[in-house]
Amino acid sequence: MVGHSLTSSPPQSAQIISSFSFGSNVKRSLSLLDPQNHCSFAQLPDELIYLVTLLLSSASKAALLQTCRYFRHLLEPTLYRLLDLGGSLKRGDAVNWTLARRPDLILHVQRYTGFLHGSPPFKGRKSTSSNYTDTESYKNIVKVLTHAINIREIDFGTCSNWASSSLWKSATKAVFKMKLVKLTYYASTSDKNQLCQLLATQPMLEELAIYGHGHDLAQLNSEAVPNLKRVTATITDAVAVVPGRRIEELRLSCYTDVDCTLFRQFSLGVHGIRDLSILYLGGPTEEQFQLTLQVIGEALSEVERLQFALGRSVRANVILNAFPPLFKLRQLDLQLVRLKRLEDQVQNVFGTHDEASVGHSSDKDAWDEIYATIKQRCPSLIEFYHA
């Protein structure tokens, strides 16, 4: 299966080098520069050494920088440039502990994602490993955020309970000063205007992932986040953020009882979306799926990549009859879609179900017919997936 993500492409090597300051303050030892020395790698220019180490894993890079002080000074900042603290709470604690005591390394952090796990310290509540209300770890995170002025990508997807801590304010003030390109924000705060205020300070933001903030975004200025291109959101959030902006990639989450009126309202101000992914949280009715296809045909006819995750069975005729002509569609991905068999069968004159009368001897034949029909309506289609 081929899926679509809203992850931005990795920066080019030239861009990486231009944003990285090399270790001019640390001289290479004479032994490294000695022509008789067989360590030719150490004699390369800093830029080439750095490009080579881009191919190394973090563990290999960490091993290399332990070989001499020069490599340590040159390469240590690269270990903290793109931080993903997911997967290990202990590793996250260790990284944040180091950064909190090394302000020089904090300035090199440009991506900070993963488990921002340190639950805020509550008065009168002791820290335990089970609830992870570790006061020191939380303060370390806040200190990192407060000083990491060069962060471009940040993920607040795992700290929805931070709003109860007074330390949260100092962290958000620091984020307001960042020049973000990517923001994931699932946090829930008592200040309903906080997200609007944050977005108003991010003119360079290109990618936004939010969940459950539709009502908080009602007052979002139409001129905020003018460079926004990729959005992951619920349909309620999308109504507040997407219309009026030149969104190219959109990943929508819809509840089972999707509000059809809301979906149509959302589509009125949407233009230019090329990559659309819709995940139904539970599985829509066939009527809701038909309406979704109708709205896409009316308002999003320029889409080039389309992905559905239905999580239910659907009659082949529903897809055949409802799928709109999309002349620019190049890739179609129907995930978690199963074809109904019994409903597609037709009773013969004896009142029994006749497999031959359906025209499909198998699911493969049904999917082949669906592809052929969609291909006629979408002549640019070159990739078709189903599962």
Side-chain angles (χ1 to χ4, degrees), residues 109-344:
V109 179
Q110 294 191 21
R111 179 193 297 163
Y112 193 73
T113 66
F115 293 132
L116 308 190
H117 50 74
S119 299
F122 296 97
K123 292 183 178 180
R125 184 176 180 181
K126 295 182 179 180
S127 298
T128 65
S129 57
S130 59
N131 58 37
Y132 214 84
T133 54
D134 183 8
T135 303
E136 183 180 1
S137 69
Y138 178 73
K139 288 184 177 180
N140 286 339
I141 293 174
V142 172
K143 187 172 182 179
V144 171
L145 294 179
T146 303
H147 294 86
I149 59 176
N150 293 319
I151 285 183
R152 297 294 176 264
E153 300 180 19
I154 196 165
D155 184 342
F156 283 126
T158 58
C159 55
S160 59
N161 58 344
W162 281 20
S164 55
S165 170
S166 59
L167 294 178
W168 170 255
K169 293 182 179 180
S170 61
T172 53
K173 287 181 180 178
V175 176
F176 276 34
K177 298 178 181 179
M178 297 176 184
K179 297 179 181 178
L180 297 176
V181 175
K182 179 179 178 180
L183 171 66
T184 299
Y185 193 96
Y186 297 162
S188 177
T189 69
S190 56
D191 185 354
K192 298 302 181 181
N193 295 320
Q194 187 174 90
L195 182 54
C196 285
Q197 295 170 355
L198 174 57
L199 293 179
T201 64
Q202 303 300 328
M204 304 305 297
L205 192 69
E206 296 181 2
E207 184 170 344
L208 175 65
I210 51 178
Y211 186 86
H213 288 279
H215 299 295
D216 300 350
L217 293 169
Q219 304 301 321
L220 182 64
N221 192 305
S222 59
E223 298 180 357
V225 288
N227 290 307
L228 193 62
K229 295 181 177 66
R230 295 174 292 276
V231 173
T232 300
T234 65
I235 183 65
T236 306
D237 298 327
V239 169
V241 175
V242 175
R245 294 179 172 84
R246 302 185 66 84
I247 307 300
E248 298 176 359
E249 301 178 23
L250 176 63
R251 182 180 292 274
L252 278 179
S253 297
C254 299
Y255 295 100
T256 304
D257 55 343
V258 59
D259 189 329
C260 299
T261 303
L262 190 62
F263 192 85
R264 187 172 293 278
Q265 175 189 346
F266 154 77
S267 68
L268 295 178
V270 177
H271 302 284
I273 293 179
R274 296 183 301 177
D275 192 332
L276 176 63
S277 176
I278 300 179
L279 168 65
Y280 285 94
L281 304 176
T285 64
E286 291 185 341
E287 290 75 16
Q288 291 169 337
F289 181 50
Q290 287 177 311
L291 173 69
T292 302
L293 290 174
Q294 180 183 346
V295 172
I296 291 174
E298 295 173 356
L300 305 172
S301 58
E302 296 185 357
V303 66
E304 298 177 11
R305 293 177 294 276
L306 180 60
Q307 181 185 66
F308 283 103
L310 297 186
R312 61 155 294 155
S313 299
V314 63
R315 288 176 295 166
N317 289 340
V318 171
I319 302 176
L320 292 171
N321 296 334
F323 204 91
L326 302 171
F327 296 102
K328 293 185 178 182
L329 186 67
R330 295 186 293 107
Q331 179 174 311
L332 175 61
D333 189 354
L334 300 178
Q335 292 189 359
L336 304 177
V337 180
R338 299 178 300 277
L339 296 180
K340 288 183 179 179
R341 297 298 305 278
L342 184 61
E343 287 82 352
D344 282 341

Side-chain angles (χ1 to χ4, degrees), residues 75-87:
L75 300 176
E76 187 177 30
T78 68
L79 294 176
Y80 297 90
R81 183 175 181 273
L82 305 177
L83 286 180
D84 184 354
L85 306 182

Side-chain angles (χ1 to χ4, degrees), residues 28-46:
R28 307 188 206 201
S29 67
L30 293 178
S31 62
L32 292 178
L33 298 177
D34 188 345
Q36 301 300 321
N37 194 302
H38 296 289
C39 186
S40 57
F41 178 66
Q43 301 176 36
L44 294 175
D46 292 349

